Amino acid sequence: MKSFVVFGIAVMLAPAAFAQHQTFVVNPDASEVKMTLKTTHELVNGAFHVQSGSIAFDRSTPKISGSVVVLAGTGKTGNDSRDKKMNKDILKVEQYATISFEPTAYAGAIAPSGDSTIQVTGIFTLLGAPHEITVPILVHFDGSSATAKAHLVVPYVQWGLKNPSFMIWKADNDVAIDLNLAGTISK
């Protein structure tokens, strides 16, 4: 009788345990990556197109997996000449068509609805080289809709990219990135 009660409780709790596993599927058309680069003469603002994204997570464990992929050659800063140089000399888009982030773990609690801030650790791949980073991400759930927003600073020169400075126009060695993802949650 005792084992029957334990089995009954396990069967009743199993759906709740499995319900913890969810997938955030990114809608590329509703998402974007913005960048801001400080220079001696201006702030260079730009945006990149998100190609795809799917993040699997489980509220009961700190495990998270998947990827967000950005097309490197889609960066637009409002200056065609600068964009051409960025694509050819800095991002080397003919060799490295994508930039990606693959989360591996998170810290914090993810609420079933509303806002939650979590610390996500993962691999940021730029010019084909992996770099481990931890980023605070604000996630928002509203029914089956979800958003994820993050602000991070990428030390692009330290990571092997060329600084675009020339003559008296000097650029910082770090670039600010704002990640804005929108999509749906599936179980």
PDB file of all heavy atoms in Angstrom, residues 115-140:
ATOM      1  N   ASP A 115       8.459  39.473 -15.186  1.00  0.00           N
ATOM      2  CA  ASP A 115       9.890  39.705 -15.367  1.00  0.00           C
ATOM      3  C   ASP A 115      10.743  38.889 -14.412  1.00  0.00           C
ATOM      4  O   ASP A 115      10.375  38.692 -13.256  1.00  0.00           O
ATOM      5  CB  ASP A 115      10.222  41.181 -15.125  1.00  0.00           C
ATOM      6  CG  ASP A 115       9.649  42.101 -16.181  1.00  0.00           C
ATOM      7  OD1 ASP A 115       9.358  41.620 -17.288  1.00  0.00           O
ATOM      8  OD2 ASP A 115       9.490  43.305 -15.896  1.00  0.00           O
ATOM      9  N   SER A 116      11.889  38.464 -14.917  1.00  0.00           N
ATOM     10  CA  SER A 116      12.928  37.808 -14.118  1.00  0.00           C
ATOM     11  C   SER A 116      14.269  38.249 -14.670  1.00  0.00           C
ATOM     12  O   SER A 116      14.435  38.376 -15.875  1.00  0.00           O
ATOM     13  CB  SER A 116      12.842  36.287 -14.230  1.00  0.00           C
ATOM     14  OG  SER A 116      11.586  35.796 -13.844  1.00  0.00           O
ATOM     15  N   THR A 117      15.241  38.463 -13.792  1.00  0.00           N
ATOM     16  CA  THR A 117      16.601  38.748 -14.236  1.00  0.00           C
ATOM     17  C   THR A 117      17.466  37.566 -13.836  1.00  0.00           C
ATOM     18  O   THR A 117      17.505  37.183 -12.671  1.00  0.00           O
ATOM     19  CB  THR A 117      17.140  40.045 -13.619  1.00  0.00           C
ATOM     20  OG1 THR A 117      16.299  41.135 -14.033  1.00  0.00           O
ATOM     21  CG2 THR A 117      18.565  40.321 -14.093  1.00  0.00           C
ATOM     22  N   ILE A 118      18.140  37.002 -14.829  1.00  0.00           N
ATOM     23  CA  ILE A 118      19.014  35.860 -14.587  1.00  0.00           C
ATOM     24  C   ILE A 118      20.399  36.165 -15.130  1.00  0.00           C
ATOM     25  O   ILE A 118      20.562  37.030 -15.989  1.00  0.00           O
ATOM     26  CB  ILE A 118      18.454  34.562 -15.232  1.00  0.00           C
ATOM     27  CG1 ILE A 118      18.236  34.743 -16.747  1.00  0.00           C
ATOM     28  CG2 ILE A 118      17.155  34.138 -14.540  1.00  0.00           C
ATOM     29  CD1 ILE A 118      17.817  33.481 -17.481  1.00  0.00           C
ATOM     30  N   GLN A 119      21.399  35.481 -14.606  1.00  0.00           N
ATOM     31  CA  GLN A 119      22.776  35.588 -15.090  1.00  0.00           C
ATOM     32  C   GLN A 119      23.032  34.380 -15.993  1.00  0.00           C
ATOM     33  O   GLN A 119      22.994  33.250 -15.517  1.00  0.00           O
ATOM     34  CB  GLN A 119      23.771  35.580 -13.925  1.00  0.00           C
ATOM     35  CG  GLN A 119      23.605  36.727 -12.959  1.00  0.00           C
ATOM     36  CD  GLN A 119      24.015  38.055 -13.563  1.00  0.00           C
ATOM     37  OE1 GLN A 119      24.988  38.140 -14.301  1.00  0.00           O
ATOM     38  NE2 GLN A 119      23.271  39.096 -13.260  1.00  0.00           N
ATOM     39  N   VAL A 120      23.257  34.626 -17.260  1.00  0.00           N
ATOM     40  CA  VAL A 120      23.442  33.539 -18.225  1.00  0.00           C
ATOM     41  C   VAL A 120      24.915  33.457 -18.617  1.00  0.00           C
ATOM     42  O   VAL A 120      25.503  34.442 -19.038  1.00  0.00           O
ATOM     43  CB  VAL A 120      22.560  33.730 -19.468  1.00  0.00           C
ATOM     44  CG1 VAL A 120      22.809  32.628 -20.483  1.00  0.00           C
ATOM     45  CG2 VAL A 120      21.090  33.778 -19.075  1.00  0.00           C
ATOM     46  N   THR A 121      25.476  32.271 -18.469  1.00  0.00           N
ATOM     47  CA  THR A 121      26.853  32.004 -18.891  1.00  0.00           C
ATOM     48  C   THR A 121      26.801  31.208 -20.181  1.00  0.00           C
ATOM     49  O   THR A 121      25.961  30.317 -20.338  1.00  0.00           O
ATOM     50  CB  THR A 121      27.602  31.210 -17.803  1.00  0.00           C
ATOM     51  OG1 THR A 121      27.624  31.998 -16.608  1.00  0.00           O
ATOM     52  CG2 THR A 121      29.027  30.884 -18.224  1.00  0.00           C
ATOM     53  N   GLY A 122      27.705  31.547 -21.097  1.00  0.00           N
ATOM     54  CA  GLY A 122      27.725  30.823 -22.352  1.00  0.00           C
ATOM     55  C   GLY A 122      28.930  31.192 -23.191  1.00  0.00           C
ATOM     56  O   GLY A 122      29.833  31.891 -22.738  1.00  0.00           O
ATOM     57  N   ILE A 123      28.901  30.713 -24.418  1.00  0.00           N
ATOM     58  CA  ILE A 123      30.000  30.920 -25.356  1.00  0.00           C
ATOM     59  C   ILE A 123      29.564  31.904 -26.441  1.00  0.00           C
ATOM     60  O   ILE A 123      28.613  31.657 -27.181  1.00  0.00           O
ATOM     61  CB  ILE A 123      30.436  29.582 -26.006  1.00  0.00           C
ATOM     62  CG1 ILE A 123      30.801  28.551 -24.932  1.00  0.00           C
ATOM     63  CG2 ILE A 123      31.584  29.815 -26.983  1.00  0.00           C
ATOM     64  CD1 ILE A 123      31.941  28.969 -24.020  1.00  0.00           C
ATOM     65  N   PHE A 124      30.276  33.023 -26.518  1.00  0.00           N
ATOM     66  CA  PHE A 124      30.062  34.051 -27.538  1.00  0.00           C
ATOM     67  C   PHE A 124      31.138  33.808 -28.593  1.00  0.00           C
ATOM     68  O   PHE A 124      32.331  33.895 -28.300  1.00  0.00           O
ATOM     69  CB  PHE A 124      30.229  35.430 -26.886  1.00  0.00           C
ATOM     70  CG  PHE A 124      29.848  36.593 -27.745  1.00  0.00           C
ATOM     71  CD1 PHE A 124      28.701  37.318 -27.467  1.00  0.00           C
ATOM     72  CD2 PHE A 124      30.629  36.990 -28.810  1.00  0.00           C
ATOM     73  CE1 PHE A 124      28.347  38.421 -28.224  1.00  0.00           C
ATOM     74  CE2 PHE A 124      30.289  38.078 -29.586  1.00  0.00           C
ATOM     75  CZ  PHE A 124      29.134  38.800 -29.295  1.00  0.00           C
ATOM     76  N   THR A 125      30.724  33.486 -29.811  1.00  0.00           N
ATOM     77  CA  THR A 125      31.681  33.185 -30.882  1.00  0.00           C
ATOM     78  C   THR A 125      31.736  34.344 -31.868  1.00  0.00           C
ATOM     79  O   THR A 125      30.718  34.723 -32.455  1.00  0.00           O
ATOM     80  CB  THR A 125      31.309  31.874 -31.599  1.00  0.00           C
ATOM     81  OG1 THR A 125      31.287  30.823 -30.627  1.00  0.00           O
ATOM     82  CG2 THR A 125      32.333  31.536 -32.674  1.00  0.00           C
ATOM     83  N   LEU A 126      32.933  34.895 -32.021  1.00  0.00           N
ATOM     84  CA  LEU A 126      33.186  36.041 -32.885  1.00  0.00           C
ATOM     85  C   LEU A 126      34.457  35.763 -33.670  1.00  0.00           C
ATOM     86  O   LEU A 126      35.468  35.362 -33.074  1.00  0.00           O
ATOM     87  CB  LEU A 126      33.341  37.285 -32.000  1.00  0.00           C
ATOM     88  CG  LEU A 126      33.399  38.649 -32.633  1.00  0.00           C
ATOM     89  CD1 LEU A 126      32.173  38.936 -33.483  1.00  0.00           C
ATOM     90  CD2 LEU A 126      33.523  39.716 -31.550  1.00  0.00           C
ATOM     91  N   LEU A 127      34.418  35.924 -34.968  1.00  0.00           N
ATOM     92  CA  LEU A 127      35.525  35.566 -35.869  1.00  0.00           C
ATOM     93  C   LEU A 127      35.929  34.103 -35.666  1.00  0.00           C
ATOM     94  O   LEU A 127      37.106  33.756 -35.717  1.00  0.00           O
ATOM     95  CB  LEU A 127      36.747  36.459 -35.674  1.00  0.00           C
ATOM     96  CG  LEU A 127      36.648  37.906 -36.126  1.00  0.00           C
ATOM     97  CD1 LEU A 127      38.005  38.596 -36.025  1.00  0.00           C
ATOM     98  CD2 LEU A 127      36.099  38.055 -37.525  1.00  0.00           C
ATOM     99  N   GLY A 128      34.962  33.264 -35.399  1.00  0.00           N
ATOM    100  CA  GLY A 128      35.219  31.839 -35.227  1.00  0.00           C
ATOM    101  C   GLY A 128      35.867  31.453 -33.909  1.00  0.00           C
ATOM    102  O   GLY A 128      36.117  30.281 -33.668  1.00  0.00           O
ATOM    103  N   ALA A 129      36.145  32.422 -33.051  1.00  0.00           N
ATOM    104  CA  ALA A 129      36.806  32.147 -31.771  1.00  0.00           C
ATOM    105  C   ALA A 129      35.788  32.193 -30.637  1.00  0.00           C
ATOM    106  O   ALA A 129      35.035  33.163 -30.510  1.00  0.00           O
ATOM    107  CB  ALA A 129      37.921  33.152 -31.517  1.00  0.00           C
ATOM    108  N   PRO A 130      35.780  31.161 -29.781  1.00  0.00           N
ATOM    109  CA  PRO A 130      34.835  31.139 -28.661  1.00  0.00           C
ATOM    110  C   PRO A 130      35.352  31.931 -27.459  1.00  0.00           C
ATOM    111  O   PRO A 130      36.535  31.897 -27.145  1.00  0.00           O
ATOM    112  CB  PRO A 130      34.738  29.654 -28.329  1.00  0.00           C
ATOM    113  CG  PRO A 130      36.077  29.100 -28.721  1.00  0.00           C
ATOM    114  CD  PRO A 130      36.531  29.914 -29.904  1.00  0.00           C
ATOM    115  N   HIS A 131      34.430  32.641 -26.803  1.00  0.00           N
ATOM    116  CA  HIS A 131      34.761  33.420 -25.611  1.00  0.00           C
ATOM    117  C   HIS A 131      33.664  33.185 -24.577  1.00  0.00           C
ATOM    118  O   HIS A 131      32.493  33.434 -24.860  1.00  0.00           O
ATOM    119  CB  HIS A 131      34.843  34.920 -25.932  1.00  0.00           C
ATOM    120  CG  HIS A 131      35.766  35.230 -27.045  1.00  0.00           C
ATOM    121  ND1 HIS A 131      37.124  35.367 -26.860  1.00  0.00           N
ATOM    122  CD2 HIS A 131      35.542  35.400 -28.372  1.00  0.00           C
ATOM    123  CE1 HIS A 131      37.694  35.626 -28.025  1.00  0.00           C
ATOM    124  NE2 HIS A 131      36.761  35.648 -28.951  1.00  0.00           N
ATOM    125  N   GLU A 132      34.038  32.720 -23.388  1.00  0.00           N
ATOM    126  CA  GLU A 132      33.041  32.503 -22.347  1.00  0.00           C
ATOM    127  C   GLU A 132      32.693  33.829 -21.679  1.00  0.00           C
ATOM    128  O   GLU A 132      33.594  34.598 -21.318  1.00  0.00           O
ATOM    129  CB  GLU A 132      33.539  31.519 -21.292  1.00  0.00           C
ATOM    130  CG  GLU A 132      32.448  31.200 -20.272  1.00  0.00           C
ATOM    131  CD  GLU A 132      32.842  30.137 -19.278  1.00  0.00           C
ATOM    132  OE1 GLU A 132      33.548  30.489 -18.312  1.00  0.00           O
ATOM    133  OE2 GLU A 132      32.447  28.983 -19.480  1.00  0.00           O
ATOM    134  N   ILE A 133      31.403  34.093 -21.551  1.00  0.00           N
ATOM    135  CA  ILE A 133      30.950  35.317 -20.898  1.00  0.00           C
ATOM    136  C   ILE A 133      29.741  34.992 -20.013  1.00  0.00           C
ATOM    137  O   ILE A 133      29.067  33.986 -20.209  1.00  0.00           O
ATOM    138  CB  ILE A 133      30.573  36.429 -21.900  1.00  0.00           C
ATOM    139  CG1 ILE A 133      29.416  35.995 -22.812  1.00  0.00           C
ATOM    140  CG2 ILE A 133      31.758  36.865 -22.713  1.00  0.00           C
ATOM    141  CD1 ILE A 133      28.857  37.126 -23.657  1.00  0.00           C
ATOM    142  N   THR A 134      29.490  35.878 -19.061  1.00  0.00           N
ATOM    143  CA  THR A 134      28.278  35.816 -18.246  1.00  0.00           C
ATOM    144  C   THR A 134      27.569  37.146 -18.404  1.00  0.00           C
ATOM    145  O   THR A 134      28.186  38.208 -18.254  1.00  0.00           O
ATOM    146  CB  THR A 134      28.609  35.537 -16.771  1.00  0.00           C
ATOM    147  OG1 THR A 134      29.266  34.261 -16.692  1.00  0.00           O
ATOM    148  CG2 THR A 134      27.345  35.503 -15.928  1.00  0.00           C
ATOM    149  N   VAL A 135      26.284  37.079 -18.729  1.00  0.00           N
ATOM    150  CA  VAL A 135      25.510  38.266 -19.068  1.00  0.00           C
ATOM    151  C   VAL A 135      24.218  38.301 -18.254  1.00  0.00           C
ATOM    152  O   VAL A 135      23.508  37.292 -18.199  1.00  0.00           O
ATOM    153  CB  VAL A 135      25.143  38.243 -20.569  1.00  0.00           C
ATOM    154  CG1 VAL A 135      24.345  39.464 -20.964  1.00  0.00           C
ATOM    155  CG2 VAL A 135      26.378  38.116 -21.433  1.00  0.00           C
ATOM    156  N   PRO A 136      23.890  39.446 -17.644  1.00  0.00           N
ATOM    157  CA  PRO A 136      22.572  39.549 -17.017  1.00  0.00           C
ATOM    158  C   PRO A 136      21.515  39.714 -18.111  1.00  0.00           C
ATOM    159  O   PRO A 136      21.678  40.536 -19.017  1.00  0.00           O
ATOM    160  CB  PRO A 136      22.673  40.808 -16.153  1.00  0.00           C
ATOM    161  CG  PRO A 136      23.780  41.602 -16.744  1.00  0.00           C
ATOM    162  CD  PRO A 136      24.696  40.640 -17.442  1.00  0.00           C
ATOM    163  N   ILE A 137      20.463  38.918 -18.020  1.00  0.00           N
ATOM    164  CA  ILE A 137      19.404  38.966 -19.025  1.00  0.00           C
ATOM    165  C   ILE A 137      18.065  39.136 -18.326  1.00  0.00           C
ATOM    166  O   ILE A 137      17.740  38.412 -17.383  1.00  0.00           O
ATOM    167  CB  ILE A 137      19.403  37.696 -19.901  1.00  0.00           C
ATOM    168  CG1 ILE A 137      20.721  37.597 -20.666  1.00  0.00           C
ATOM    169  CG2 ILE A 137      18.215  37.697 -20.861  1.00  0.00           C
ATOM    170  CD1 ILE A 137      20.835  36.407 -21.599  1.00  0.00           C
ATOM    171  N   LEU A 138      17.299  40.104 -18.794  1.00  0.00           N
ATOM    172  CA  LEU A 138      15.944  40.320 -18.313  1.00  0.00           C
ATOM    173  C   LEU A 138      15.011  39.535 -19.223  1.00  0.00           C
ATOM    174  O   LEU A 138      14.947  39.800 -20.426  1.00  0.00           O
ATOM    175  CB  LEU A 138      15.578  41.805 -18.335  1.00  0.00           C
ATOM    176  CG  LEU A 138      14.120  42.144 -18.028  1.00  0.00           C
ATOM    177  CD1 LEU A 138      13.776  41.775 -16.581  1.00  0.00           C
ATOM    178  CD2 LEU A 138      13.848  43.608 -18.287  1.00  0.00           C
ATOM    179  N   VAL A 139      14.321  38.555 -18.660  1.00  0.00           N
ATOM    180  CA  VAL A 139      13.355  37.779 -19.434  1.00  0.00           C
ATOM    181  C   VAL A 139      11.954  38.158 -18.982  1.00  0.00           C
ATOM    182  O   VAL A 139      11.725  38.477 -17.810  1.00  0.00           O
ATOM    183  CB  VAL A 139      13.585  36.252 -19.303  1.00  0.00           C
ATOM    184  CG1 VAL A 139      14.906  35.858 -19.935  1.00  0.00           C
ATOM    185  CG2 VAL A 139      13.538  35.798 -17.865  1.00  0.00           C
ATOM    186  N   HIS A 140      11.038  38.163 -19.926  1.00  0.00           N
ATOM    187  CA  HIS A 140       9.643  38.488 -19.627  1.00  0.00           C
ATOM    188  C   HIS A 140       8.756  37.458 -20.311  1.00  0.00           C
ATOM    189  O   HIS A 140       8.872  37.232 -21.515  1.00  0.00           O
ATOM    190  CB  HIS A 140       9.295  39.890 -20.134  1.00  0.00           C
ATOM    191  CG  HIS A 140       7.868  40.251 -19.886  1.00  0.00           C
ATOM    192  ND1 HIS A 140       7.427  40.746 -18.685  1.00  0.00           N
ATOM    193  CD2 HIS A 140       6.770  40.150 -20.677  1.00  0.00           C
ATOM    194  CE1 HIS A 140       6.125  40.956 -18.754  1.00  0.00           C
ATOM    195  NE2 HIS A 140       5.700  40.600 -19.958  1.00  0.00           N
TER     196      HIS A 140
END
